[in-house]
Amino acid sequence: MRRLYWLGLSLPLLVVGLAGCKTTVVFQRTAFSPLAITARAPAPPPRKLEKIEIRDTIQFELGKATLKKASFGILDDVVKVMKTRTGIKKLRIEGHTDTSGDAAKNRTLSQARAQSVLEYLVKKGVERDRLVAKGYGPDKPIADNGTPEGRVKNRRVEFTIVEQDAGK
């Protein structure tokens, strides 16, 4: 009895050849262990933040750079972010106003308010060299200054990340 191998399969079959001799054809199937394929997408690059978003408005005394106590909780949250995200190397504190009043006075007021926020953060333990204050006054509106609602939105403080290490 002869064995013939075809396509790596092994199945014995009895075949009577032309000359009358018996031939066993064996189709042999070799056992394959399952091939484990693990495909992992490369890890995404660390997401770089552009801003520290705050949900509430930082409040000041009318026409002054004095922070109201209602803003302390919001600023304490910013302090927590700065202490835990050590990769933020430089944060710009931006003061903005609406267009009411003299533009030059608004720029001065917005700079003083941004500086007041900076001083609060430093007092709470954020390193001064990681912070910079900039007052833009009415120069960067985000809403229509022609409506009361728009003017309220334009009176704001924003926290823009200027420099950061990846992944921290």
Side-chain angles (χ1 to χ4, degrees):
M1 202 182 290
R2 291 185 292 170
R3 287 181 183 246
L4 299 176
Y5 294 93
W6 186 62
L7 295 178
L9 300 174
S10 175
L11 295 172
L13 291 179
L14 186 59
V15 178
V16 177
L18 293 176
C21 63
K22 291 182 182 177
T23 303
T24 301
V25 178
V26 177
F27 294 95
Q28 181 177 353
R29 174 173 280 174
T30 43
F32 291 102
S33 58
L35 181 59
I37 298 176
T38 305
R40 288 188 184 157
R47 185 174 163 227
K48 283 193 167 187
L49 299 175
E50 296 176 2
K51 291 186 175 280
I52 296 175
E53 297 285 336
I54 57 173
R55 296 177 192 256
D56 294 318
T57 303
I58 296 175
Q59 298 177 23
F60 298 90
E61 297 294 331
L62 184 63
K64 298 180 182 178
T66 307
L67 286 163
K68 288 187 174 183
K69 289 181 183 178
S71 299
F72 293 169
I74 301 164
L75 294 175
D76 290 342
D77 289 341
V78 174
V79 169
K80 288 176 193 172
V81 170
M82 291 299 290
K83 286 183 175 183
T84 58
R85 300 290 302 257
T86 58
I88 299 174
K89 297 300 180 191
K90 189 67 75 175
L91 181 70
R92 182 174 54 232
I93 301 157
E94 301 175 353
H96 300 273
T97 64
D98 60 24
T99 55
S100 300
D102 181 64
K105 287 182 182 178
N106 280 339
R107 283 186 203 92
T108 302
L109 178 61
S110 66
Q111 178 64 40
R113 287 178 170 179
Q115 190 65 39
S116 180
V117 170
L118 182 146
E119 295 302 331
Y120 182 90
L121 299 179
V122 169
K123 184 175 94 177
K124 292 293 186 164
V126 178
E127 300 88 350
R128 184 178 296 276
D129 64 342
R130 294 175 65 199
L131 303 171
V132 62
K134 175 68 177 158
Y136 290 101
D139 300 333
K140 293 189 173 190
I142 58 169
D144 181 10
N145 275 303
T147 66
E149 298 83 14
R151 286 190 295 275
V152 167
K153 288 181 182 179
N154 288 330
R155 294 189 297 265
R156 68 195 188 280
V157 173
E158 294 182 328
F159 300 91
T160 301
I161 298 169
V162 177
E163 182 183 336
Q164 66 181 313
D165 287 342
K168 288 188 178 182

